[in-house]
């Protein structure tokens, strides 16, 4: 048995199109500005995002597709992604528990997080927040097969609510709700924003096969994440990941 410590984090979401890939993109830009070597993985078939992450990180982005990879293959892929990197960021797909079948976790971000012992940050679109957020989060943290959800991030917070919830690390009312029910805390919230571009769809096609975006787009997303997300907390969460266990070491 070979064990290797790889700081890593999975960015998952409560639903599809919650904005997790945009968050990962901004996080990559912000971490690169700090001088860190960042390695990315994507789950499912998010090939457009994989190409963009590769260009930003200048590293190969691995696709962790449970339909193609065994449990051992997943561990080996994450190990390889971590070689020479300061942190590995895994960009999830769909909702946390959305998998190949409707009645099981196979192929879901939750299954991947549990198999690889990767801490998870859960992103939720919360235009307006109230105590019902605690019920939503409790459902995700106590669902069958739940991974270690280490922290929460709100996305697309409505402008009139932004000054109540933002910026971090306080997030006032939201974390009061979480603390009352002993739930993970919010470490940031992104206000609803308009950018000079947008991420392409995940699925490759001849009609919409584009990954070229203006540099201003990346800078704007990176600045947004820097201003509203507690990046130090994310780094700390990634550093608490359990070592990757392999049957034998792989060649570098």
């Amino acid at each position: 048995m070979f064990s290797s410590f790889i700081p890593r984090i999975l960015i998952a979401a409560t639903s599809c199109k919650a904005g997790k890939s945009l968050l990962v993109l901004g996080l990559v830009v912000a971490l690169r500005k700090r001088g860190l070597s960042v390695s990315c993985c994507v789950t499912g078939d998010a090939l457009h995002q994989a190409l963009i992450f590769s260009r930003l990180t200048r590293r190969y982005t691995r696709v962790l597709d449970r339909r193609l990879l065994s449990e051992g293959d997943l561990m080996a892929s994450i190990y390889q992604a971590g070689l020479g990197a300061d942190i590995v960021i895994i960009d999830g797909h769909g909702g946390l528990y959305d998998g190949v079948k409707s009645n099981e976790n196979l192929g879901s971000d939750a299954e991947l997080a549990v198999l690889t012992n990767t801490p998870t940050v859960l992103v939720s679109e919360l235009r307006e927040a109230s105590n019902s957020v605690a019920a939503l989060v409790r459902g995700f943290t106590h669902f069958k097969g739940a991974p270690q959800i280490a922290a929460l991030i709100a996305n697309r917070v409505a402008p009139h609510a932004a000054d109540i919830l933002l910026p971090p690390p306080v997030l006032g009312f939201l974390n009061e709700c979480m603390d009352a029910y002993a739930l993970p805390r919010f470490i940031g919230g992104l206000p609803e924003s308009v950018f000079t571009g947008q991420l392409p769809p995940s699925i490759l096609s001849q009609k919409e096969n584009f990954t070229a975006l203006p540099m201003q787009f990346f800078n704007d997303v990176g600045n947004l994440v820097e201003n509203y997300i507690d990046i130090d907390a994310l780094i700390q969460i990634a550093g608490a990941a359990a070592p990757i266990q392999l049957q034998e070491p792989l060649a570098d």
Side-chain angles (χ1 to χ4, degrees):
M1 181 72 71
F2 172 73
S3 178
S4 177
F5 171 66
I6 300 171
R8 62 192 183 279
I9 196 166
L10 168 66
I11 307 296
T14 56
S15 64
C16 183
K17 300 186 184 302
K20 56 190 174 299
S21 293
L22 195 68
L23 170 64
V24 172
L25 187 151
L27 184 57
V28 169
V29 173
L31 291 172
R32 291 276 290 163
K33 287 172 65 176
R34 292 187 176 203
L36 298 180
S37 175
V38 183
S39 182
C40 287
C41 300
V42 298
T43 63
D45 49 7
L47 300 183
H48 270 139
Q49 280 87 332
L51 289 173
I52 292 173
F53 294 149
S54 291
R55 291 174 181 174
L56 286 175
T57 62
R58 299 183 182 180
R59 295 177 61 100
Y60 179 72
T61 298
R62 284 163 174 79
V63 179
L64 308 178
D65 193 332
R66 190 70 169 92
R67 296 167 297 183
L68 303 175
L69 303 179
S70 67
E71 181 177 340
D73 292 334
L74 290 175
M75 303 296 277
S77 293
I78 294 176
Y79 167 78
Q80 291 169 332
L83 294 174
D86 295 311
I87 185 171
V88 174
I89 303 175
I90 304 173
D91 179 23
H93 74 285
L96 178 62
Y97 297 100
D98 295 339
V100 177
K101 297 181 180 180
S102 59
N103 60 344
E104 60 183 44
N105 283 349
L106 177 66
S108 68
D109 291 341
E111 184 207 29
L112 173 68
V114 171
L115 287 177
T116 61
N117 290 311
T118 299
T120 299
V121 171
L122 190 64
V123 180
S124 182
E125 183 175 357
L126 296 175
R127 285 190 52 81
E128 300 187 31
S130 188
N131 202 45
S132 295
V133 177
L136 173 70
V137 174
R138 181 172 174 80
F140 274 84
T141 57
H142 289 73
F143 197 72
K144 181 181 178 181
Q148 174 199 351
I149 299 178
L152 310 166
I153 291 177
N155 193 27
R156 302 192 183 107
V157 178
H160 68 271
D163 52 348
I164 300 175
L165 304 177
L166 312 174
V170 181
L171 285 168
F173 179 71
L174 279 178
N175 278 335
E176 288 179 11
C177 294
M178 299 304 107
D179 293 343
Y181 298 97
L183 295 170
R185 303 189 98 227
F186 282 85
I187 58 171
L190 300 178
E192 195 169 32
S193 306
V194 177
F195 300 103
T196 55
Q198 62 180 8
L199 286 176
S202 300
I203 307 301
L204 288 172
S205 70
Q206 292 183 350
K207 181 179 179 181
E208 296 181 312
N209 185 12
F210 60 92
T211 56
L213 291 163
M215 196 62 210
Q216 188 61 47
F217 170 74
F218 298 112
N219 290 334
D220 289 344
V221 178
N223 290 337
L224 187 73
V225 169
E226 276 189 307
N227 291 335
Y228 290 101
I229 302 297
D230 189 345
I231 296 177
D232 289 329
L234 282 173
I235 294 174
Q236 186 176 13
I237 291 169
I244 288 289
Q245 303 285 342
L246 299 177
Q247 293 302 315
E248 58 184 25
L250 302 178
D252 291 355

